Amino acid sequence: MPKTAKSRCVIVAGAQWGDEGKGKVVDLLARHFDWIARYQGGHNAGHTVIIGGRKHILQLIPCGILGGEARAVIGNGVVIDPAALVQEMDGLAAAGIELEGRLFVSNRAQVILPYHRMLELAAENAPGRVKIGTTSRGIGPSYEDKMGRRGLRVVDLYEPELLRTHIENALREKNAVAGALYQAQPLDAGSIYESYLEYSRRIGPYVADTAALLNRAWRAGEAILLEGAQGTLLDIDHGTYPFVTSSSTTAGGGCTGTGLGPTRISGVIGVSKAYATRVGGGPFPTELEGPVADQLRERGNEFGSVTGRPRRVGWIDLPLLRYAVRLNGMESLVITKLDVLDGLAEIPVCVDYRLDGQPLADEIPATVAGLEKLEPVYAKLTGWQASTAGLKRLEDLPRAARAYLDFVASRLELEISLISTGPERNETIWAPHSRLESWLGMERAEQTARS
Ligand code: IMP
């Protein structure tokens, strides 16, 4: 079938270090799409969605599964721990969410095995190693095996002999390395094989050639949302290397991680908090410590949804957001957690950096040492002494909150299309006549009704 005018493919990507609130955004936008596809990462991600007071944390299955009719795809760029996937499937089934005919798992996605976790834990704790502060889910070692062309893919789970030999051969090497370098206890091939056979039975009904499905859907005029995990500054190429995750979190990963070509992409939506957070080690130029940091952490409930670790917090960083906008080609921005800034008398916004006393042009240092030397230049914006929690209309925002958003938008030369003022779906402000609304295929009347 030829391309119709309705085919749409929009990418939602994190503009910071992850945890920007992409889960809520994807859940909110899901009803405008026929398909929602995750394109990278694994169960290191934790997307929290609150619906009707009930909290759902999704790690592998796209948030779109929770509402509406959209079908959910775990794309080829994802690394899948089948134990985590099965657990998540069971949790959704217990919550009454139907997966049959709605969940599709790429046959080309890589599989995480127990030795990936063993190697990661051992290496992270080894003396003399740079401690990244990973989520200990085996993500890095699994992507290493993928790139080393020795990974196991979902499709291989259905060749029992191949599966057995793969696990035995891999373990021979991994056990030797982990034992010699980190004194780790060896893992047993037989029990891993048995458990993976069982997982393969559970996942089997959902396995598909998802690139073929998505391309067919696109050609049939359907709408596709690609859901990124983590954020731009954790991207394997563009992030604060080596304090990054092991996948392409930026919008480009949306193509390679699903099999949809770049010409299919209609737009890229960035998501940023009204401030900044980071979990794990690595540079964070606007990081805050002390009572204000504690206050933001408490108010924003800034504790990892996967690991429970307290998140580091800081002020919004416009040079790094400009970097993210550029790398992703973002044309629309969602600001989340605006209400967390309520009540502050003054809000510093990092507008520029100085490096060695000189203003920095628009290039961000590539080294950790360079990033750590950056001196943020702050503009002090007036805070709002009022609550924005739960507001739904732009005109109801305090004047200073609107000024804050306008300042961010003008410095980034980017529209702010959505503002989140609380965890629930309806605690959201839609800016009228945004690019986002046109990507959602919303008719003019529906757009006007929002404004
Ligand atoms: P990994 O992805 O587990 O290898 O962890 C690498 C780095 O990315 C660590 O600093 C983690 O804290 C961080 N990270 C991984 N996933 C997420 C996420 O979903 N949100 C925020 N940080 C993450």
Side-chain angles (χ1 to χ4, degrees), residues 171-186:
L171 265 188
R172 207 167 294 124
E173 183 188 315
K174 314 280 183 192
N175 276 338
V177 170
L181 294 183
Y182 314 116
Q183 292 75 53
Q185 290 301 314

Side-chain angles (χ1 to χ4, degrees), residues 11 58 65 82 97 205 229 237 307 316 353 429:
I11 301 180
L58 291 172
I65 199 85
I97 290 157
D237 289 281
T307 58
I316 200 165
Y353 290 132
I429 297 171

Side-chain angles (χ1 to χ4, degrees), residues 28-284:
L28 190 67
L29 302 185
R31 71 183 180 87
H32 299 277
F33 292 88
D34 304 297
W35 298 80
I36 318 282
R38 260 286 294 277
Y39 59 84
Q40 43 68 233
H43 66 313
N44 49 349
H47 288 169
T48 311
V49 182
I50 299 188
I51 304 168
R54 188 175 175 151
K55 186 168 167 179
H56 302 265
I57 296 181
L58 291 172
Q59 297 193 257
L60 280 163
I61 300 177
C63 307
I65 199 85
L66 294 174
E69 310 278 296
R71 278 152 288 176
V73 170
I74 300 180
N76 56 276
V78 175
V79 285
I80 299 176
D81 182 328
L85 178 56
V86 166
Q87 196 184 15
E88 206 166 305
M89 284 163 42
D90 288 345
L92 288 172
I97 290 157
E98 184 57 63
L99 296 179
E100 201 67 47
R102 288 194 64 209
L103 174 66
F104 301 88
V105 178
S106 169
N107 55 356
R108 290 182 171 83
Q110 294 280 322
V111 176
I112 298 183
L113 285 123
Y115 49 76
H116 292 130
R117 284 193 298 278
M118 167 179 78
L119 282 170
E120 176 170 17
L121 276 170
E124 273 278 283
N125 296 320
R129 283 283 293 247
V130 176
K131 201 170 167 62
I132 308 288
T134 71
T135 59
S136 314
R137 298 294 191 271
I139 306 294
S142 151
Y143 277 114
E144 278 176 43
D145 277 354
K146 170 180 181 172
M147 292 310 186
R149 295 164 295 182
R150 53 178 180 270
L152 183 83
R153 300 188 302 168
V154 167
V155 69
D156 304 325
L157 293 171
Y158 301 93
E159 302 270 349
E161 268 324 296
L162 187 154
L163 176 63
R164 184 195 292 277
T165 334
H166 184 99
I167 294 172
E168 284 170 358
N169 289 343
L171 265 188
R172 207 167 294 124
E173 183 188 315
K174 314 280 183 192
N175 276 338
V177 170
L181 294 183
Y182 314 116
Q183 292 75 53
Q185 290 301 314
L187 296 175
D188 173 55
S191 56
I192 296 178
Y193 171 70
E194 291 302 330
S195 55
Y196 273 62
L197 262 192
E198 178 52 29
Y199 297 139
S200 71
R201 277 188 215 107
R202 293 288 319 277
I203 298 167
Y206 306 100
V207 175
D209 182 337
T210 53
L213 282 181
L214 290 172
N215 278 288
R216 213 175 292 139
W218 191 87
R219 288 193 65 76
E222 296 188 340
I224 304 169
L225 184 68
L226 304 187
E227 171 182 335
Q230 291 87 43
T232 299
L233 300 166
L234 290 175
D235 184 275
I236 185 71
D237 289 281
H238 303 289
T240 51
Y241 193 91
F243 296 95
V244 293
T245 190
S246 296
S247 61
S248 298
T249 60
T250 40
C255 291
T256 52
T258 58
L260 285 159
T263 51
R264 304 308 191 226
I265 308 300
S266 324
V268 181
I269 305 167
V271 185
S272 166
K273 279 178 185 158
Y275 49 101
T277 63
R278 164 161 215 169
V279 208
F284 185 174

